[in-house]
Amino acid sequence: MHIVACIKQVPDAKDVRIDPETCTLVRQGVESIVNPHDWYAVEAALRLRDEYGGKVTVLTMGPPQAEEALRETLALGVDEAVLLSDRAFAGADTWATSLTLARAIIKLGPVDLVICGKQAIDGDTAQVGPGLAAHLDQPYTTYARRLELQDGGLLLAERLTDMGYEVVQMPLPAVVTVIREIGDPRMPGLKHKMRARKQEIPVMGAADLELNPEEVGLQGSFTQVVRVFSPPPRCDREMLTGEPEEQAEKLINRLKEAKVPGL
Amino acid sequence: MKPIVDKEKCTGCGDCVEICPVEAIEVVDEIAQVNDDCTLCGLCVDACPDEAIDMPEVIGPATDDIESYKGVWVVAEHHGGEVHSVSFELLGAGRNLADKLGVELAAVIIGDQLQEAAEQLIGYGADRVYLAEDPALALFNDESHANVLTELIEQKRPAILLAGATAMGRSFIPRVAVAVGTGLTADCTELDIGEDGLLYQTRPAFGGNIMATILCPNRRPQMATVRPMVMRKPDFDTQRQGVVEAFAPSAKAVASRVQVLETVTLAQETARLTEADVVVTGGRGLQKAENFKIIEEVALLVDGAVGATRSVVDEGWMPYSHQVGQTGKTVSPKLYLACGVSGAIQHVVGMQGSEIIVAVNKDPDAPIFDVVNYGVVADLFEFLPALVKKIREQRS
Ligand SMILES: Cc1cc2nc3c(=O)[nH]c(=O)nc-3n(C[C@H](O)[C@H](O)[C@H](O)COP(=O)(O)OP(=O)(O)OC[C@H]3O[C@@H](n4cnc5c(N)ncnc54)[C@H](O)[C@@H]3O)c2cc1C
Ligand SMILES: Nc1ncnc2c1ncn2[C@@H]1O[C@H](COP(=O)(O)O)[C@@H](O)[C@H]1O
């Protein structure tokens, strides 16, 4: 069983924010972290490996610094890590990202299962997982909270829906995205930490993946950001004073004025 | 590729250096220079006070015969024939786009036994409904529904396609986008047609701290998803005329490698989190599971949904499906009432798109008050009963 967990290095949400006083974007150096959802992807992969045997490879596409994110996951006991890094990859949209990752997965092959996080917190698109499945032409499911391997190379997944949940089954190889209920990530172990520091991490570029520069990064993307701006700030704050009864009355009046339904 | 710095306009002020998350910009001889660490995130473009920075353009290959793609489509989501309100909201938005372009607005509905739903879509603004029915499509299945939609797009060639950013839409629409080879913008909050006839798609990024406008210039259809509650639902017009056109998907499209073994709909007393006009959220300030009764009471009273912070979910007071925030759900109701919530950024990013935010917290310095429209410094165990009492009084 070869499982690939896809992780992304993202800016920490607490650093990218609007200053409530000045209503402008806070302009300070932003820390990079492993996308919080991707810890669950790594944990899901490790749990399956621990139960059914095999190996887990963690894969990321990003700038050279993204190697740091890979090492963090190696410290949890991940077997191998691969970094996809190339100037030409910069500015990739979800199409170009999922194409590049799919190519790498084919190169790393054979891979039985690809696990992604639910979404990355920088773009919040949740498109790379299903996009990968399409590029690989494999069955997939999203928002999985339980995974189980069954006889005959079948994967059983319980997934969250807007209405409740669903149980689906599909043959491997397949792609899944997982949510937090899959299980909390383990703590790094001392032995793994030592190994994580030293382990060699291969770096692959567009040429290694036999992709042309026109197929990756911004050039290989179909969407283009034409404007970035701060959202209109919510700086018209009013504090409602008085005893709880007065506060409640003031609030109801304000909400009625704003025509909030249900009041 | 790197952002392009206009040497004439650049004053070397260094605003771009400060905002760059990867330290890829330096000011050399009073001109900004971008190095190879640049990830093309675009933040510097907005930060520049002199409009001296531009992003390079995408030059990916164009869809063949791009001019033959016409019309605006809305993918209708339904559960056993009952159409999701986001689809009606999208028909409103789609109608506006179609009118601006002077083209037809069509809805697509995939499943089984959907004649009635199709008629309803016309009443909400569709000129035409593509009805793809097959008993094998009765239950939603990412793969078969994606295949059928892909087939339909390839044959009928819409220029724009909109879908709801629900669990369902977010799951199968990205597969369709890759299958037809086009771009997809998730979670748009604003859609417009530019002078160039392109779809201008505006969406929040970085948890809503930044807005970005995105184009898909060279591929068709231009695809976007939109969250529930963002667009206004149009009025239903019983007189509206439209065409229902049956579409017979191929046997290959209807087949799926994924088998849905069981679908469980959890009954909820209160409204569903992502679809409610009002969300009442309880945080750790509730102190224990039993105290959530007061949150549920307020929610029921105003026909709202119950939200929870991660701390509350971790304590086991509420199930994960109620969690709002970075690792939970994103909601944008008309009213978000946060009770006993401190306002950690990971929580705020999941609710700051709400129209009106109200917080009740006994700590006047709680960070939640930085993002509210109305702040109530009070003990929630005193304030909420008073609120319930006042609402009841005013009703009787
Ligand atoms: C990677 C990551 C992801 C995360 N994702 C999420 C997420 O998706 N959603 C989320 O919510 N959090 C998330 N968190 C956690 C987040 O950082 C906060 O810890 C959490 O939101 C705090 O929950 P809280 O406001 O309920 O609790 P607290 O921070 O403990 O706040 C309780 C508040 O209640 C007030 N209070 C107490 N008693 C009363 C009373 N009687 N009346 C009125 N007010 C009272 C207090 O003044 C306090 O402000 C995440 C954290 C990390 C690191
Ligand atoms: N650059 C990347 N490298 C590796 N995995 C990624 C990358 N971008 C996205 N992913 C994976 O795809 C998931 C969804 O990302 P997104 O579609 O960007 O919201 C993430 O949780 C990751 O598992």
Side-chain angles (χ1 to χ4, degrees):
Chain A
M1 182 81 180
H2 185 190
I3 307 168
V4 170
C6 293
I7 69 164
K8 184 177 189 188
Q9 200 179 42
V10 294
D12 195 345
K14 70 177 192 298
D15 296 339
V16 186
R17 63 189 179 88
I18 306 295
D19 184 322
E21 305 277 292
T22 61
C23 296
T24 54
L25 212 63
V26 173
R27 298 165 179 211
Q28 65 181 35
V30 182
E31 287 281 325
S32 289
I33 56 167
V34 173
N35 175 34
H37 296 282
D38 297 348
W39 289 112
Y40 303 109
V42 173
E43 181 60 27
L46 290 174
R47 285 188 186 193
L48 288 173
R49 180 202 64 186
D50 294 348
E51 196 174 340
Y52 303 98
K55 74 166 178 182
V56 172
T57 304
V58 169
L59 178 65
T60 192
M61 180 186 94
Q65 306 87 284
E67 185 194 309
E68 211 31 62
L70 292 173
R71 290 204 191 276
E72 278 185 59
T73 66
L74 283 172
L76 301 187
V78 161
D79 301 283
E80 279 165 33
V82 176
L83 172 62
L84 308 178
S85 197
D86 192 317
R87 273 297 305 152
F89 293 158
D93 70 355
T94 54
W95 161 277
T97 303
S98 52
L99 173 70
T100 309
L101 292 173
R103 266 316 161 81
I105 286 161
I106 293 167
K107 281 269 169 203
L108 294 174
V111 171
D112 302 288
L113 180 62
V114 177
I115 308 183
C116 289
K118 166 179 105 141
Q119 65 199 49
I121 61 161
D122 51 354
D124 275 338
T125 75
Q127 288 170 5
V128 169
L132 253 177
H135 280 298
L136 293 169
D137 190 20
Q138 287 177 6
Y140 73 108
T141 195
T142 51
Y143 307 115
R145 62 175 183 189
R146 198 169 69 79
L147 297 173
E148 185 188 313
L149 294 182
Q150 296 183 316
D151 290 344
L154 290 175
L155 176 76
L156 189 83
E158 197 173 291
R159 70 188 296 215
L160 208 64
T161 64
D162 282 335
M163 320 293 283
Y165 67 94
E166 218 170 69
V167 183
V168 298
Q169 188 188 49
M170 68 198 80
L172 296 175
V175 178
V176 295
T177 76
V178 294
I179 56 171
R180 197 180 152 214
E181 280 179 307
I182 202 87
D184 283 333
R186 60 197 62 191
M187 299 305 277
L190 194 61
K191 188 179 96 212
H192 296 311
K193 264 184 174 164
M194 304 268 288
R195 188 175 53 90
R197 238 176 288 146
K198 283 182 261 150
Q199 183 152 333
E200 189 131 354
I201 296 183
V203 182
M204 295 166 102
D208 302 308
L209 300 176
E210 289 165 70
L211 284 164
N212 296 321
E214 305 82 64
E215 293 175 281
V216 298
L218 187 69
Q219 282 197 64
S221 295
F222 296 148
T223 57
Q224 174 173 26
V225 177
V226 289
R227 190 165 105 90
V228 194
F229 56 102
S230 303
R234 200 184 293 273
C235 282
D236 51 349
R237 172 177 89 164
E238 184 189 352
M239 298 304 280
L240 307 176
T241 51
E243 289 301 304
E245 290 70 29
E246 295 167 57
Q247 290 174 309
E249 178 139 18
K250 282 183 189 168
L251 181 60
I252 294 170
N253 291 341
R254 306 285 187 285
L255 298 179
K256 279 192 168 160
E257 241 167 71
K259 299 206 165 60
V260 172
L263 276 151
Chain B
M1 286 197 151
K2 290 176 199 170
I4 303 151
V5 180
D6 186 330
K7 293 201 174 74
E8 302 286 304
K9 289 187 188 161
C10 178
T11 61
C13 71
D15 281 2
C16 52
V17 177
E18 268 180 64
I19 201 158
C20 178
V22 293
E23 294 173 15
I25 315 181
E26 268 176 296
V27 175
V28 181
D29 294 337
E30 295 188 12
I31 302 279
Q33 280 193 0
V34 186
N35 69 35
D36 280 355
D37 286 341
C38 170
T39 60
L40 290 164
C41 73
L43 284 179
C44 54
V45 176
D46 180 52
C48 179
D50 306 301
E51 293 178 18
I53 312 181
D54 247 328
M55 291 296 273
E57 278 183 29
V58 295
I59 45 172
T63 299
D64 287 340
D65 202 6
I66 195 161
E67 295 301 327
S68 66
Y69 286 75
K70 289 210 167 61
V72 177
W73 282 15
V74 169
V75 181
E77 174 170 338
H78 67 94
H79 297 270
E82 195 184 317
V83 179
H84 192 299
S85 57
V86 71
S87 308
F88 301 138
E89 293 160 18
L90 286 176
L91 284 172
R95 184 73 264 164
N96 183 20
L97 300 175
D99 291 346
K100 275 193 180 164
L101 286 166
V103 297
E104 189 181 80
L105 174 66
V108 180
I109 189 160
I110 302 169
D112 197 30
Q113 315 268 351
L114 295 169
Q115 192 65 41
E116 225 172 281
E119 301 287 345
Q120 213 182 358
L121 294 167
I122 292 171
Y124 277 106
D127 301 314
R128 181 184 299 272
V129 178
Y130 292 107
L131 177 61
E133 286 179 311
D134 191 301
L137 296 170
L139 271 187
F140 174 74
N141 182 310
D142 287 291
E143 194 161 57
S144 55
H145 283 231
N147 290 342
V148 170
L149 184 56
T150 303
E151 239 178 44
L152 200 55
I153 291 170
E154 281 168 353
Q155 288 185 23
K156 308 286 179 183
R157 302 189 167 210
I160 291 173
L161 182 142
L162 312 177
T166 56
M168 199 186 266
R170 284 179 141 230
S171 189
F172 94 108
I173 297 295
R175 177 151 195 151
V176 175
V178 169
V180 298
T182 190
L184 167 63
T185 309
D187 291 350
C188 298
T189 51
E190 215 183 295
L191 297 167
D192 201 5
I193 302 292
E195 274 165 27
D196 47 11
L198 291 173
L199 181 65
Y200 280 66
Q201 312 163 86
T202 299
R203 71 180 304 263
F206 291 106
N209 291 330
I210 293 167
M211 304 297 290
T213 302
I214 294 170
L215 295 183
C216 176
N218 300 331
R219 309 294 295 191
R220 293 294 177 274
Q222 305 162 78
M223 290 177 51
T225 64
V226 179
R227 285 203 184 116
M229 310 294 299
V230 171
M231 304 287 175
R232 213 184 63 82
K233 181 173 155 182
D235 294 327
F236 183 75
D237 178 356
T238 48
Q239 305 299 314
R240 266 198 105 239
Q241 298 290 309
V243 189
V244 178
E245 186 177 330
F247 174 77
S250 73
K252 192 166 147 264
V254 169
S256 174
R257 291 168 288 190
V258 181
Q259 249 194 307
V260 180
L261 303 180
E262 198 185 344
T263 303
V264 180
T265 302
L266 296 175
Q268 272 185 308
E269 254 205 328
T270 47
R272 288 184 201 286
L273 201 52
T274 50
E275 295 160 33
D277 283 324
V278 179
V279 173
V280 187
T281 289
R284 204 200 288 281
L286 265 292
Q287 290 164 8
K288 53 183 184 216
E290 296 85 85
N291 291 341
F292 253 86
K293 278 202 301 278
I294 177 77
I295 299 289
E296 275 156 13
E297 189 181 354
V298 177
L300 268 175
L301 195 60
V302 297
D303 205 9
V306 174
T309 64
R310 174 164 167 175
S311 306
V312 158
V313 174
D314 286 345
E315 295 284 351
W317 301 347
M318 285 302 276
Y320 171 71
S321 55
H322 288 264
Q323 185 183 318
V324 174
Q326 190 181 85
T327 41
K329 290 190 171 137
T330 303
V331 298
S332 45
K334 297 230 158 48
L335 170 64
Y336 191 86
L337 177 57
C339 311
V341 174
S342 62
I345 183 72
Q346 294 91 350
H347 182 77
V348 168
V349 295
M351 50 71 113
Q352 63 184 354
S354 310
E355 214 171 289
I356 300 175
I357 297 175
V358 179
V360 185
N361 196 308
K362 63 181 182 189
D363 173 9
D365 296 323
I368 188 81
F369 289 125
D370 288 342
V371 297
V372 298
N373 299 84
Y374 301 109
V376 178
V377 178
D379 186 329
L380 69 92
F381 297 108
E382 291 174 21
F383 176 78
L384 291 180
L387 183 71
V388 168
K389 191 162 147 250
K390 277 262 159 5
I391 295 177
R392 291 230 166 91
E393 267 173 26
Q394 295 200 1
R395 282 195 188 159
S396 57

